[in-house]
Amino acid sequence: MTTVAPKNFWYVAAFAEDIGRALVARTILNQALVMFRTEEGSVAILEDRCPHRAVPLSLGRLIGDDIRCNYHGMQIRADGSCSRIPCQDLIPEKARARTYPVVERHKLIWVWMGNSDLADPATVPDFHWFDDPAWTTCHGYHHVNANYQLLNDNLLDLSHESYVHEDTIGNDAVAEAPVTSKVVDGKVYVSREIVNCEPPPFYVKTTGFTTNINRWHTTIFQPPSFNVIENGSYPHHASRSEALERRILNMITPETDTSSHYFWGVARAFLHDDAALTSYIREKIYHTFDQDKVLLEAQQRNLGKETNAPFPVALRTDVGPIQARKLVKQILDREQSEAA
């Protein structure tokens, strides 16, 4: 059995800057979509399927705010209705493409894949760091051929930093540090306090700390696939009030049962005007997530399509991922029960 993702949630479809006056094709939850920005600036998301002969609309072209199918010229408006059929005046009632609710917020384009009557913009996850002047951010995207829950597992057990990312953000102290995990108000909190450790290369470069540091990271998981990592560090001999803090923003959108769109950002609350530092962070985080991608895709290949129970041997550090999977399963069971 494959792992199905919940539908009645807002998912990131794209960074806002990437959607303009061009057709963008993207698959989300096994559904082919096409996106574009209208002449007035709003974003439209439709099923990427012409109602005439099922050719992808993304192969067509924009005529004003209509998509003209490149097969037989049928034109579909941003609201999914048909505006023109070249060979006839009568437009059949079924000549319509499905549309999806869209919200543009925090420099992200959010799409609702489930029951549109439940699409409340107030429930869009909070990623205010992208447009909060108190934080300086950089961002990026990875396509990962792995189920979205494997990415959640990875972010909820950061002990892998010691081995996968030893050239950037990890060292032995991460895996050896004690871990706490709890569920509060439908979210999972997994925390590590790492005391008096050598700063990894990324920390030396971004903070300037060269002596031993205290560092912490708390992964906050919000179902079904959002992870915010609160991270900070300060010299071991100093106080926590002197810490330099970051937020690692992880927005995972299931593409298929075995592939994911991984949108990410890094926000920092220090050295806001240092453009070179921003570029360095973006470059090194790309490299770090490239390393994750290699392992996650290899893990998926070994699992095949069975991603529901990847913990034949559970360790103490698996508590957070297991709690997160339980929350997702409860949501899936509820959706399936309501559908029945």
Side-chain angles (χ1 to χ4, degrees):
M1 176 187 294
T2 55
T3 301
V4 179
K7 289 187 175 181
N8 290 319
F9 281 87
W10 293 103
Y11 289 99
V12 176
F15 288 108
E17 65 185 33
D18 293 333
I19 304 301
R21 294 290 294 163
L23 299 174
V24 176
R26 182 153 287 163
T27 296
I28 295 177
L29 271 63
N30 293 305
Q31 176 63 62
L33 305 176
V34 60
M35 302 178 278
F36 68 95
R37 199 175 287 277
T38 67
E39 292 179 328
E40 292 184 350
S42 62
V43 174
I45 300 182
L46 297 82
E47 182 179 6
D48 193 9
R49 179 187 177 100
C50 179
H52 176 219
R53 291 288 184 87
V55 169
L57 290 170
S58 58
L59 297 179
R61 67 175 61 182
L62 280 178
I63 308 295
D65 286 341
D66 294 358
I67 303 176
R68 188 183 72 188
C69 179
N70 263 13
Y71 196 12
H72 298 101
M74 178 180 285
Q75 291 184 200
I76 303 297
R77 298 186 180 98
D79 66 2
S81 63
C82 179
S83 64
R84 182 173 184 268
I85 299 175
C87 64
Q88 64 186 61
D89 294 329
L90 177 65
I91 296 178
E93 185 178 343
K94 291 184 177 180
R96 170 176 289 274
R98 180 181 176 184
T99 61
Y100 295 82
V102 182
V103 171
E104 183 169 351
R105 188 173 299 169
H106 309 316
K107 298 183 179 181
L108 301 163
I109 304 301
W110 300 84
V111 63
W112 184 274
M113 299 299 297
N115 182 348
S116 59
D117 292 337
L118 303 178
D120 181 0
T123 63
V124 170
D126 178 15
F127 281 89
H128 69 274
W129 298 274
F130 281 113
D131 48 19
D132 187 335
W135 298 84
T136 297
T137 62
C138 59
H139 62 269
Y141 167 85
H142 278 71
H143 180 268
V144 183
N145 285 312
N147 179 271
Y148 74 102
Q149 295 214 71
L150 297 181
L151 277 70
N152 287 338
D153 298 338
N154 184 64
L155 293 163
L156 284 159
D157 179 7
L158 294 179
S159 62
H160 75 274
E161 287 184 4
S162 297
Y163 314 106
V164 182
H165 308 309
E166 60 183 353
D167 62 341
T168 54
I169 59 177
N171 54 26
D172 288 346
V174 182
E176 294 168 358
V179 182
T180 63
S181 183
K182 61 183 179 181
V183 179
V184 180
D185 296 330
K187 297 181 181 180
V188 179
Y189 294 75
V190 178
S191 298
R192 272 188 173 82
E193 294 280 344
I194 309 168
V195 179
N196 197 18
C197 69
E198 182 181 353
F202 179 83
Y203 282 69
V204 174
K205 178 68 175 180
T206 57
T207 66
F209 301 149
T210 56
T211 59
N212 278 14
I213 61 173
N214 299 335
R215 59 182 281 201
W216 76 90
H217 36 65
T218 298
T219 301
I220 304 171
F221 167 75
Q222 177 179 342
S225 52
F226 306 106
N227 296 269
V228 175
I229 302 175
E230 297 180 346
N231 168 248
S233 61
Y234 56 98
H236 176 59
H237 62 268
S239 68
R240 189 166 175 137
S241 63
E242 301 175 60
L244 300 181
E245 294 197 37
R246 284 183 289 266
R247 298 291 182 269
I248 296 82
L249 313 173
N250 306 275
M251 301 140 291
I252 304 159
T253 298
E255 180 186 45
T256 68
D257 293 342
T258 55
S259 62
S260 302
H261 304 289
Y262 184 14
F263 302 92
W264 55 264
V266 179
R268 70 179 188 273
F270 56 93
L271 297 176
H272 296 290
D273 297 326
D274 192 335
L277 177 58
T278 301
S279 295
Y280 172 84
I281 291 173
R282 189 170 188 269
E283 174 190 349
K284 290 304 178 183
I285 294 302
Y286 252 111
H287 171 65
T288 298
F289 291 164
D290 282 342
Q291 294 171 326
D292 284 320
K293 173 180 165 72
V294 170
L295 287 194
L296 290 166
E297 291 184 342
Q299 181 187 29
Q300 182 67 71
R301 287 193 295 272
N302 268 356
L303 288 169
K305 292 187 176 181
E306 180 54 68
T307 55
N308 282 325
F311 300 103
V313 178
L315 309 179
R316 289 181 179 178
T317 54
D318 292 322
V319 173
I322 290 172
Q323 289 172 326
R325 283 175 173 267
K326 286 181 178 178
L327 291 178
V328 172
K329 185 178 185 304
Q330 289 170 5
I331 294 166
L332 285 168
D333 289 345
R334 184 171 66 246
E335 282 194 1
Q336 291 168 4
S337 175
E338 291 171 351

